[in-house]
Amino acid sequence: MDPDLEKQRNETFWVFNDIASKNPIPEMAIVDFHMVPSNSHAEWEKMSKELQGQGFTVERHDDPEGPTMEIRTRPLALSAEVIWEYEERLTLLARRYNFKPDGWGFSGVSTNEGFVGV
């Protein structure tokens, strides 16, 4: 695995386990992944269309810190492994369109837990 992905994977598992040690984790959740442009050639429209074609909900947020693409999954059985499976896939896709990951969060759908994220 490429060193950047390995570091990202380790961080995802560490953060998930840290959250789980402090909060109840819902069985099912919608996971939000945030991507930001890695350079001025980010292809917002193309990436958004591809993601929507794969069943994701996609929104652009123009925040004071800069623009962010929020990619939302359908409800998933929540675990660090599941988050990483989606995160790796989305990170590799994002690279093709000049984006990079900028965190994730989740909102429980089975226990009505609040939003938790990094």
Side-chain angles (χ1 to χ4, degrees):
M1 180 183 293
D2 116 8
D4 290 338
L5 285 176
E6 184 68 26
K7 180 180 175 188
Q8 186 178 340
R9 180 187 181 283
N10 291 340
E11 182 178 334
T12 292
F13 276 74
W14 184 88
V15 168
F16 184 88
N17 290 329
D18 186 55
I19 292 169
S21 74
K22 298 173 184 171
N23 302 284
I25 298 293
E27 290 179 29
M28 298 290 292
I30 294 171
V31 182
D32 298 323
F33 295 94
H34 302 155
M35 300 289 173
V36 296
S38 56
N39 59 46
S40 62
H41 302 291
E43 298 179 86
W44 290 90
E45 191 66 30
K46 288 181 181 179
M47 183 165 160
S48 181
K49 282 184 180 183
E50 183 166 344
L51 289 165
Q52 288 169 345
Q54 295 179 21
F56 293 97
T57 301
V58 180
E59 291 182 23
R60 179 179 173 151
H61 300 282
D62 290 310
D63 300 320
E65 302 86 37
T68 301
M69 181 179 289
E70 181 181 61
I71 305 159
R72 205 168 309 119
T73 68
R74 60 178 172 67
L76 304 171
L78 191 62
S79 68
E81 291 83 4
V82 167
I83 291 173
W84 176 246
E85 178 185 321
Y86 278 83
E87 185 177 7
E88 180 180 33
R89 176 177 151 201
L90 293 172
T91 297
L92 293 172
L93 177 87
R95 287 179 180 177
R96 293 192 344 237
Y97 294 106
N98 298 303
F99 284 87
K100 62 184 178 182
D102 191 44
W104 52 264
F106 58 85
S107 182
V109 294
S110 61
T111 60
N112 295 320
E113 293 293 325
F115 180 81
V116 180
V118 294

